[in-house]
Amino acid sequence: SVPAQPTSAESEETVQPAEKSYVESGKTLSKKKKKPKLLNKFDKTIKAELDAAVEPRKKGKVEEALRAFEALVNQYPQSPRARYGKAQSEDDLAEKMRSNEMLQQAINTYDEVVSLPNVPSDLIKLSLKREADRQQFLGRMRGSLVTLQKLVQLFPSETSFKNDLGVGYLLIGDNSNAKKVYEEVLSLAPNDGFAKVHYGFILKAENKIAESIPYLQEGLESGDPGTDDGRFYFHLGDALQRMGDKEAYKWYELGYQRGHFASVWQRSLYNVKGLKAQPWWTAKETGYTELVKSLEKNWKLIRDEGLAVMDKKRSLFLPEDENLREKGDWSQFTLWQQGRKNENACKSVPKTCALLERFPEATGCRRGQIKYSVMHPGTHVWPHTGPTNCRLRMHLGLVIPKEGCRIRCAQENRDWEEGKVLIFDDSFEHEVWQDAESYRLIFIVDVWHPELTAQQRRTLPAI
């Protein structure tokens, strides 16, 4: 669920959601800006009283506005506009007090507006849209879905509500229902850019790479509200790269110009601004020299424990599941994830885990992992970008074939060496080739970016 108030670290962070799931940013707005009609016949007769209650709200006097609207609701329980004013004032107060309870109260009041008799349709739309939005804010995704479904039933010809409903499905990870909704929108409004980018996003998630491209591209080119979002540039570029199309970098460039990426090469979407950004790092530059020394000194111990697991408990190595491989065989055995130790895994490699316990920059890195990674011959990992600029990634070579294995980060290739640590920033585009005669085994240790403060390390949400 979504925290009601950002912690200091989150507010410094420009968050655009990760590539795997869809978390909403950017709403769709209908094109025509006509002044909505909010008063029914009865409310026109008490317009002066309603206007008087609106005044303090305009001036930011939240409590006073709420008292005024509560009085009106008591006096005129059938007035939709008074009820809506009460909901808005509760909404304002919830923000001011940072109170989820008050926000829930506002949500309930928005819902009450719609059940009154003779509610103007513009008021129904505003109430339900805001109700759904606030439910999403509280992480009540299922509740918001019900609200959005109600909007779509009441106003079947308004594509913007269908678009919002599609987002509602995406937010609970129900891509198949979202897909149906966007197919419906596109059958009614074939040029709807918002529906196009979201439909393309879903096709891409289904690994329908070639099919996703025209939807993502035309949707972005439409410039419609809600389309200018880092994820759509990210996935369009990625789809084009996988098709071997150099146009990808045109879109990465545009995404960069629009402020979605730190650079054409560094395309992570969860970022803290101002961190030093370079593809390759030396141990000295990171300041984590003790950790690097310890890994390099104990590399054989780390290797031998890993090989024993590969031998005896092969099933602990799980295939890479983020759809990053073009071909081949690549598995990982994870010891720490999101700053949490996998106690069970560590039973199999106790010395390695004991060694790492001394280094909180790694074990406490809630935006990374510590894991063994085995890659077999004939594997190619697509160019891809990690989710965040808040970590650096260390690779310790354990079993490295003489030739045929390499990694590119940004524009520079490197090779692994047994017993040596490579350090790179995986928020930069990187790609891996394994064309050797035998398997390659490395040990991966993610660490916090050295420039993050202790406060940020404590408060940045996990990835």
Side-chain angles (χ1 to χ4, degrees):
S1 74
V2 182
Q5 58 198 77
T7 59
S8 59
E10 279 177 272
S11 50
E12 288 161 38
E13 185 182 30
T14 53
V15 172
Q16 295 158 314
E19 54 278 36
K20 279 211 257 185
S21 66
Y22 180 94
V23 183
E24 191 219 12
S25 60
K27 276 273 190 320
T28 167
L29 302 158
S30 63
K31 302 282 186 299
K32 301 180 290 296
K33 272 285 174 217
K34 285 209 297 270
K35 207 169 157 43
K37 295 185 172 64
L38 303 185
L39 304 180
N40 66 10
K41 269 188 185 140
F42 172 73
D43 279 340
K44 282 177 184 161
T45 68
I46 58 163
K47 187 173 182 307
E49 290 171 76
L50 289 165
D51 289 347
V54 168
E55 266 321 295
R57 183 168 179 257
K58 280 186 189 155
K59 295 183 183 137
K61 296 180 182 169
V62 184
E63 292 86 350
E64 195 185 317
L66 181 54
R67 282 194 299 274
F69 277 114
E70 278 174 336
L72 287 176
V73 166
N74 288 334
Q75 201 178 343
Y76 309 116
Q78 299 294 295
S79 159
R81 180 64 187 88
R83 190 78 53 136
Y84 180 67
K86 176 175 180 257
Q88 283 184 307
S89 303
E90 289 165 341
D91 199 337
D92 293 345
L93 191 56
E95 192 156 324
K96 185 175 170 181
M97 295 166 48
R98 300 191 152 186
S99 158
N100 290 350
E101 286 71 18
M102 179 54 73
L103 189 51
Q104 187 54 56
Q105 182 53 53
I107 288 168
N108 298 343
T109 310
Y110 283 122
D111 206 56
E112 289 166 6
V113 173
V114 182
S115 60
L116 295 171
N118 308 315
V119 189
S121 60
D122 283 346
L123 196 57
I124 293 179
K125 291 175 191 176
L126 284 172
S127 293
L128 289 177
K129 248 186 100 83
R130 185 62 182 170
E131 182 185 346
D133 177 85
R134 300 290 76 195
Q135 287 170 309
Q136 286 173 9
F137 178 84
L138 278 183
R140 309 266 159 82
M141 300 307 170
R142 307 245 163 217
S144 82
L145 207 53
V146 173
T147 309
L148 292 165
Q149 283 162 335
K150 201 187 292 184
L151 263 172
V152 166
Q153 282 155 3
L154 289 168
F155 306 101
S157 64
E158 295 220 12
T159 51
S160 83
F161 298 146
K162 286 196 172 70
N163 278 336
D164 288 344
L165 177 62
V167 168
Y169 281 121
L170 285 172
L171 285 173
I172 61 162
D174 184 349
N175 285 22
S176 69
N177 268 313
K179 190 179 184 185
K180 289 188 190 118
V181 171
Y182 290 119
E183 281 169 349
E184 211 175 295
V185 172
L186 290 168
S187 70
L188 297 167
N191 295 321
D192 189 299
F194 187 94
K196 276 185 177 171
V197 284
H198 286 79
Y199 190 62
F201 178 90
I202 295 164
L203 290 172
K204 172 85 166 30
E206 294 176 341
N207 213 22
K208 295 182 175 151
I209 305 296
E211 276 179 67
S212 72
I213 290 171
Y215 289 100
L216 286 164
Q217 187 169 332
E218 291 165 22
L220 281 171
E221 284 167 348
S222 75
D224 287 354
T227 59
D228 184 25
D229 180 310
R231 281 164 309 182
F232 303 134
Y233 292 93
F234 187 104
H235 284 293
L236 174 56
D238 187 59
L240 289 164
Q241 274 180 307
R242 293 187 182 201
M243 299 304 294
D245 189 334
K246 288 280 177 272
E247 284 278 283
Y249 288 94
K250 185 188 93 177
W251 289 99
Y252 290 149
E253 177 65 40
L254 198 56
Y256 161 65
Q257 287 169 9
R258 289 278 167 89
H260 301 303
F261 306 135
S263 73
V264 171
W265 294 102
Q266 189 182 26
R267 300 190 300 272
S268 50
L269 294 175
Y270 282 92
N271 299 318
V272 167
K273 276 204 166 66
L275 296 180
K276 178 175 178 176
Q278 61 188 36
W280 294 99
W281 289 64
T282 63
K284 198 171 158 202
E285 286 171 322
T286 68
Y288 299 133
T289 47
E290 286 308 307
L291 170 58
V292 172
K293 269 187 220 151
S294 184
L295 291 170
E296 292 188 339
K297 198 175 91 197
N298 296 286
W299 75 277
K300 287 184 170 162
L301 174 159
I302 297 169
R303 175 195 66 188
D304 293 347
E305 285 197 324
L307 288 175
V309 172
M310 271 176 74
D311 256 5
K312 298 192 184 58
K313 304 191 176 162
R314 191 167 295 165
S315 62
L316 293 177
F317 275 81
L318 301 172
E320 174 277 322
D321 63 352
E322 292 183 58
N323 183 23
L324 300 175
R325 275 169 298 173
E326 176 191 11
K327 56 181 199 270
D329 184 346
W330 172 24
S331 297
Q332 313 186 96
F333 170 46
T334 303
L335 307 180
W336 268 267
Q337 191 154 10
Q338 296 190 328
R340 286 195 300 272
K341 182 181 180 182
N342 181 337
E343 296 289 352
N344 205 25
C346 277
K347 287 194 185 103
S348 300
V349 289
K351 291 177 184 156
T352 299
C353 288
L355 184 90
L356 284 156
E357 296 280 9
R358 292 183 20 232
F359 301 102
E361 63 265 36
T363 57
C365 178
R366 282 176 297 100
R367 295 204 155 183
Q369 300 106 39
I370 299 174
K371 60 192 176 187
Y372 288 89
S373 168
V374 63
M375 194 175 282
H376 294 279
T379 302
H380 171 234
V381 179
W382 293 113
H384 66 287
T385 302
T388 179
N389 72 342
C390 294
R391 69 180 185 211
L392 301 177
R393 180 155 275 193
M394 298 185 177
H395 278 188
L396 172 66
L398 300 176
V399 179
I400 309 298
K402 283 279 176 283
E403 52 188 60
C405 291
R406 65 191 161 98
I407 178 169
R408 169 181 70 79
C409 185
Q411 288 152 293
E412 192 182 332
N413 289 309
R414 298 268 174 106
D415 302 317
W416 295 275
E417 282 179 63
E418 292 182 359
K420 289 278 178 277
V421 168
L422 282 181
I423 308 170
F424 66 102
D425 181 336
D426 79 321
S427 65
F428 284 83
E429 179 185 298
H430 53 291
E431 182 174 11
V432 178
W433 296 264
Q434 212 296 34
D435 299 315
E437 300 290 310
S438 57
Y439 69 86
R440 179 226 70 183
L441 179 68
I442 61 171
F443 189 56
I444 298 177
V445 179
D446 288 336
V447 290
W448 284 120
H449 190 293
E451 290 178 355
L452 288 172
T453 64
Q455 159 76 353
Q456 287 170 318
R457 294 174 196 217
R458 274 198 308 277
T459 54
L460 280 165
I463 294 179

